Amino acid sequence: MALTLLRHTTPAIASGICYGMTDLDVAETFAAEARDVVAALPPPDRIATSPLTRCRQLAEHIGEAMNLPVTIDERLREMDFGTWEGLPWSDIPRAELDQWAADFLHARPHGGESVATLTARVQAALAEWDDNQSHGLIVTHAGVIKAALASEATAQGYNTNIGFGRFITLREDFLHDH
């Protein structure tokens, strides 16, 4: 059937800050954003979420609205940016950003997780959540969605932009083709 990947609503953090594994709360606009998300979503049969608060809170809201239980899956969490977590992107040393750009998939100048590691765990999670009998909803992060959609193992392959509270629905055949 299908799998919908939903990015969390706006987090409570200033723009321009690097946050991946940082467990952020939702912004004050959560109630309105969550209402809009529920109204727009294709109805799922099951819901999984990242364990991070900004995803879990939205998943629980949707689960309550649709009378569905929520499963927490650690593999759906955002990338670990190591020493970059919480820093303004503009404060990250240029040499480290250049190192990451030079080997986008494998470099870890921040000491956290590589894009290749993120992609492997996301693909493993999606393989388990791929069920041609139902419509699954995964509440997660931009990095996870990019890893799911990457059509090629290059920086350009990860060039998907998805806004807060926005989703992409994958057809069952897409999951098997990639």
Side-chain angles (χ1 to χ4, degrees), residues 5-13 19-27 29-30 33-34 37 48-59 62 76-79 137-145 162-168:
L5 305 175
L6 168 64
R7 186 179 183 194
H8 57 80
T9 56
T10 307
I13 192 168
Y19 62 91
M21 288 288 298
T22 303
D23 197 9
L24 302 171
D25 201 353
V26 295
T29 56
F30 176 76
E33 289 182 78
V37 166
T49 186
S50 158
L52 299 180
T53 301
R54 60 192 184 266
C55 292
R56 200 180 66 246
Q57 200 165 356
L58 180 58
I62 295 166
L76 300 174
R77 65 179 160 66
E78 183 60 286
M79 185 168 147
L137 170 65
I138 292 179
V139 183
T140 192
H141 310 271
V144 171
I145 294 170
I162 185 161
F164 297 119
R166 301 289 185 233
F167 61 87
I168 294 173

Side-chain angles (χ1 to χ4, degrees), residues 142-155:
V144 171
I145 294 170
K146 289 177 182 197
L149 296 176
S151 58
E152 54 189 62
T154 66

Side-chain angles (χ1 to χ4, degrees), residues 17 32 44 53 59 62 69 72 81 96 111 114 116 120 124-125 131 135 137 141-142 148-149 153-154 156 163:
I17 304 295
T53 301
I62 295 166
I72 295 173
F81 283 101
E96 292 180 16
S114 71
D131 174 1
H135 185 148
L137 170 65
H141 310 271
L149 296 176
T154 66
Q156 293 77 23

Side-chain angles (χ1 to χ4, degrees), residues 37-113:
V37 166
V38 169
L41 273 177
D45 300 313
R46 58 202 177 113
I47 303 171
T49 186
S50 158
L52 299 180
T53 301
R54 60 192 184 266
C55 292
R56 200 180 66 246
Q57 200 165 356
L58 180 58
E60 290 168 356
H61 178 87
I62 295 166
E64 186 174 307
M66 298 187 177
N67 198 29
L68 290 171
V70 174
T71 301
I72 295 173
D73 189 331
E74 291 285 333
R75 297 169 299 176
L76 300 174
R77 65 179 160 66
E78 183 60 286
M79 185 168 147
D80 178 358
F81 283 101
T83 59
W84 294 358
E85 293 278 340
L87 292 178
W89 282 99
S90 59
D91 287 357
I92 296 171
R94 184 77 212 170
E96 292 180 16
L97 290 171
D98 289 345
Q99 182 185 355
W100 191 32
D103 187 6
F104 180 72
L105 292 177
H106 303 287
R108 298 174 41 246
H110 44 63
E113 190 173 24

